[in-house]
Amino acid sequence: MINLPVLPILIPLIAAIVLLFVSKSVLAQRVVSVIASASTVVSALILMAKVKSDGIQTVDMGSWPAPFGITLVSDMLSILLVLTASIITLCVVLYSFRSIGNGRERFYYYPIVQFLLLGVNGSFTTGDIFNLFVFFEIMLMSSYVLIVIGSTKIQLRESIKYILVNVISSAIFVIAVGFLYSVTGSLNMAHISARISEISTEPIITVLAVLFLIVFGLKGAIFPLYFWLPGSYAAPPAPILALFGSLLTKVGIYAILRTYTLFFYHDQPFTHDLMSLLALLTIVAGVIGALAYRDVKQILIYNIIIAVGVLLFGIATMTEESIAGTLFYLIHDMIVKAALFLLGGIIIYIAGTSNLTKMGGLIRQYPALGWTFLLASFALAGIPPLSGFTGKLLIVRAGFSEGEYVGSIVVLLSSLAVLYSVVNLFMEAFWKTPETPLPDVKKQTGSLFIPAAVLVLLSVLYGVGTEAVYPYVMQAVDTLIHPEIYIDAVLKE
Amino acid sequence: MEILMCIVAGLLFAAAVYLMLSKSLLRIIVGTGLLSHGTHLMLLTMGGLKTGAAPVLGEHAASYTDPVPQALILTAIVISFGVTALFLVIAYRAYQELGTDNMDQLKGTEADD
């Protein structure tokens, strides 16, 4: 099974193609989607066990040796993220059965979700910088369709802005790859890394580092480049929003993490100080948004931006401890954001509005939903036994030991703001006495609630079982801190 | 030759940025077209414009031009073609549904709908 790293990319691809042929039978769509998503999760689990026991797995496509062909590289970081993305997609697909609606289901919703997973898993796994661009485009094309599917007025309006921003960032990505090719003469990421370390004093490398930060910052919504996100993410329905919020921006963060640990670690005083500053401004911008809105979707959307800022600060600190914290927080944030958006979708479905001032009193009829939401909120803020704690603890501790006092304090204060914003959401939606009393008839939410509850449960287990996850994360950190391991595994010297 | 190409690509970028900052949606899409032209030209230039035969082995030449950037551009062209087609269709749908192509009027919050 030397081709194991291909499976998390191949299964969604085949599933998506099969689904295109059975688009009019909703039942077949659902069955095939669930089977495909579940087998993606299983293949990712098998691959993770393989990476754990045997180290980095690489596949040279077409048996061309490493710098000349496209190489797929599954190190611990990429397989952890692939596994998380596949689990989230499975839960979102299950959630979609009830919530997405027959019209969208018949018009290629499920195949597009599979294509999105294909793009995300491919981006995490590829070892070739231009191939990364192609997988980005697969992911973005699917997201264009998902954001506009159903074509309500708000979706049409916001999709135009979303597509425009991403077309521009893709163009900058191609230019950056062109520059990198003219400087290093290679497209294989390990080979580029080796070439850059030979010419690391050249200022052009720093220019390229900033160019890549702009590109991935546009995808991942960091400070001056996050302007497109709040409007665009508010447009699509809840399951699509959960996919976007938990996967798309995190792929940008992954790309920053990968390029800045593999290519651009030579001129740290400039690039990492810049990143640190942008991270803090991102947190501040997110906090302002999360506190300002009285709308379920917008509060959760601005919490994405805060998390992106925290992750970027962890990358900018660039010690073993802070990278470990970043990975813990990255996986936690993917799971818990998906859970929160799914739960938020149920709240909006029950209340019939996303405006907090018009809600209230849901706890009487939906106690399970309420307490699950509160649990997910606490996990998001990083209350100790839950999942957000370890990551933030490591990031803050690394920040203090590197003398980044302002940054670490801002990260700590941001947790307070996160907690305030989500608990305020909880109080308004569940405790407050509503202006118009709720109808006595309870809406059926069981099939919506279960996938979301599974994600919350996973996040709780992830928090409680940190000891069990720790060796996996540390193996990923080891590869990131020592790029030689990655280079040797790919180029097989 | 590379310098000339860089200047031309720069002019394309300038025109693209100018068009994308305008109010009409069609002008913006024309801007994205110019942007991708500039990008592809830049990619070709970045690979080096050394003289050599076309990268076809039947030519039996002493040196060939670099085939890698050409493959990259071919990929980037079809991708931007697909995205532009989707963008144009969405712009058409938006014109039908929203009745305007002026970006200033594509504002507002969910409550307006």
Side-chain angles (χ1 to χ4, degrees):
Chain A
M1 289 302 275
I2 51 161
N3 289 335
L4 213 49
V6 184
L7 282 184
I9 305 171
L10 198 60
I11 295 171
L13 174 64
I14 293 171
I17 292 170
V18 170
L19 286 169
L20 288 178
F21 289 104
V22 292
S23 65
K24 295 305 167 213
S25 160
V26 172
L27 182 68
Q29 295 261 323
R30 291 177 175 181
V31 171
V32 175
S33 298
V34 170
I35 292 173
S37 309
S39 43
T40 312
V41 173
V42 171
S43 70
L45 278 171
I46 297 171
L47 181 56
M48 189 168 78
K50 180 88 174 156
V51 173
K52 178 77 181 123
S53 61
D54 301 354
I56 298 175
Q57 298 291 308
T58 64
V59 181
D60 295 328
M61 304 309 285
S63 298
W64 291 92
F68 304 112
I70 288 174
T71 312
L72 295 183
V73 186
S74 251
D75 63 349
M76 193 44 96
L77 167 65
S78 72
I79 188 58
L80 280 174
L81 295 177
V82 164
L83 179 64
T84 316
S86 307
I87 292 173
I88 288 169
T89 309
L90 177 62
C91 290
V92 169
V93 165
L94 289 170
Y95 184 92
S96 304
F97 290 174
R98 262 296 298 285
S99 74
I100 200 72
N102 194 267
R104 289 191 175 97
E105 276 183 315
R106 284 156 56 85
F107 279 91
Y108 306 103
Y109 169 75
Y110 292 113
I112 301 296
V113 169
Q114 293 296 325
F115 276 126
L116 185 80
L117 182 64
L118 156 72
V120 169
N121 281 353
S123 305
F124 288 144
T125 312
T126 185
D128 182 287
I129 193 80
F130 194 78
N131 198 226
L132 179 68
F133 164 73
V134 175
F135 277 124
F136 260 87
E137 286 301 312
I138 295 174
M139 178 183 90
L140 289 173
M141 267 300 238
S142 322
S143 72
Y144 301 155
V145 178
L146 282 179
I147 206 171
V148 82
I149 192 170
S151 52
T152 58
K153 284 186 176 175
I154 178 171
Q155 281 180 301
L156 282 168
R157 195 178 68 206
E158 294 305 330
S159 66
I160 287 174
K161 296 166 192 170
Y162 180 72
I163 295 178
L164 181 61
V165 167
N166 280 301
V167 164
I168 294 168
S169 81
S170 299
I172 304 174
F173 195 177
V174 175
I175 294 167
V177 170
F179 276 129
L180 196 61
Y181 180 70
S182 77
V183 172
T184 63
S186 180
L187 292 169
N188 181 295
M189 279 151 78
H191 198 214
I192 291 173
S193 173
R195 290 266 177 95
I196 284 180
S197 63
E198 290 163 15
I199 53 162
S200 57
T201 50
E202 298 277 339
I204 185 75
I205 300 296
T206 309
V207 176
L208 277 172
V210 175
L211 204 54
F212 273 101
L213 186 65
I214 292 172
V215 173
F216 298 137
L218 263 167
K219 316 269 186 205
I222 65 176
F223 166 63
L225 309 169
Y226 73 96
F227 54 87
W228 54 272
L229 187 133
S232 301
Y233 278 23
I240 299 175
L241 177 56
L243 276 181
F244 282 17
S246 60
L247 302 183
L248 294 194
T249 51
K250 305 307 180 293
V251 177
I253 292 295
Y254 163 81
I256 291 175
L257 184 59
R258 185 63 88 194
T259 50
Y260 272 75
T261 52
L262 197 58
F263 299 169
F264 309 120
Y265 54 90
H266 302 286
D267 186 17
Q268 291 198 6
F270 179 76
T271 53
H272 287 62
D273 280 0
L274 176 70
M275 217 165 25
S276 179
L277 179 69
L278 291 181
L280 296 185
L281 291 172
T282 311
I283 295 175
V284 172
V287 163
I288 291 173
L291 296 183
Y293 279 91
R294 313 268 298 155
D295 181 284
V296 176
K297 277 186 178 176
Q298 290 296 343
I299 290 173
L300 296 178
I301 285 170
Y302 275 98
N303 270 304
I304 302 178
I305 298 173
I306 301 175
V308 163
V310 173
L311 291 166
L312 199 66
F313 179 73
I315 300 173
T317 313
M318 199 64 185
T319 62
E320 198 170 342
E321 197 175 29
S322 80
I323 297 289
T326 310
L327 295 193
F328 268 114
Y329 198 72
L330 183 57
I331 296 166
H332 141 79
D333 193 61
M334 288 169 78
I335 298 174
V336 88
K337 278 284 150 48
L340 275 173
F341 279 117
L342 294 182
L343 292 170
I346 301 175
I347 294 174
I348 293 171
Y349 166 71
I350 293 171
T353 172
S354 69
N355 191 337
L356 276 182
T357 47
K358 292 178 189 163
M359 290 183 196
L362 296 181
I363 197 80
R364 288 203 192 92
Q365 287 182 21
Y366 307 94
L369 175 69
W371 297 122
T372 315
F373 187 86
L374 191 68
L375 199 62
S377 308
F378 283 168
L380 185 71
I383 307 252
L386 300 168
S387 61
F389 174 68
T390 325
K392 237 176 220 171
L393 173 74
L394 291 173
I395 290 175
V396 168
R397 218 166 64 174
F400 275 122
S401 64
E402 289 293 299
E404 298 258 9
Y405 297 112
V406 180
S408 307
I409 290 168
V410 168
V411 170
L412 285 175
L413 289 179
S414 80
S415 308
L416 216 57
V418 167
L419 187 64
Y420 177 78
S421 69
V422 280
V423 169
N424 185 37
L425 203 169
F426 174 77
M427 300 286 279
E428 293 271 322
F430 288 94
W431 271 159
K432 189 185 68 182
T433 321
E435 285 166 17
T436 50
L438 289 165
D440 285 338
V441 192
K442 199 178 150 185
K443 286 188 184 175
Q444 290 298 322
T445 55
S447 53
L448 291 174
F449 178 65
I450 291 166
V454 166
L455 283 175
V456 176
L457 182 70
L458 260 180
S459 118
V460 171
L461 289 178
Y462 179 74
V464 176
T466 304
E467 289 277 310
V469 187
Y470 189 76
Y472 292 89
V473 172
M474 286 325 280
Q475 191 181 345
V477 171
D478 206 32
T479 319
L480 290 175
I481 294 289
H482 306 287
E484 315 85 66
I485 303 176
Y486 185 95
I487 296 171
D488 288 347
V490 175
L491 298 180
K492 300 193 181 69
E493 285 167 85
Chain B
M1 191 61 186
E2 275 90 347
I3 296 197
L4 187 66
M5 292 293 257
C6 287
I7 291 171
V8 173
L11 286 175
L12 280 172
F13 288 143
V17 170
Y18 178 76
L19 283 173
M20 286 191 294
L21 291 176
S22 60
K23 281 181 185 171
S24 156
L25 187 51
L26 263 181
R27 277 167 173 266
I28 291 174
I29 298 178
V30 172
T32 62
L34 288 183
L35 183 72
S36 62
H37 282 320
T39 314
H40 301 150
L41 201 62
M42 201 69 191
L43 202 53
L44 194 70
T45 314
M46 284 292 131
L49 296 172
K50 301 171 287 292
T51 48
V56 181
L57 282 177
E59 299 272 319
H60 300 295
S63 72
Y64 294 95
T65 49
D66 189 351
V68 175
Q70 301 189 14
L72 301 189
I73 290 168
L74 196 58
T75 315
I77 285 174
V78 291
I79 289 175
S80 69
F81 187 68
V83 174
T84 308
L86 180 73
F87 200 0
L88 279 168
V89 171
I90 288 178
Y92 180 59
R93 276 286 287 166
Y95 174 68
Q96 283 182 323
E97 289 280 325
L98 306 170
T100 178
D101 77 330
N102 188 334
M103 289 305 277
D104 264 358
Q105 290 170 12
L106 292 178
K107 283 188 201 160
T109 58
E110 206 169 352
D112 302 344
D113 290 326

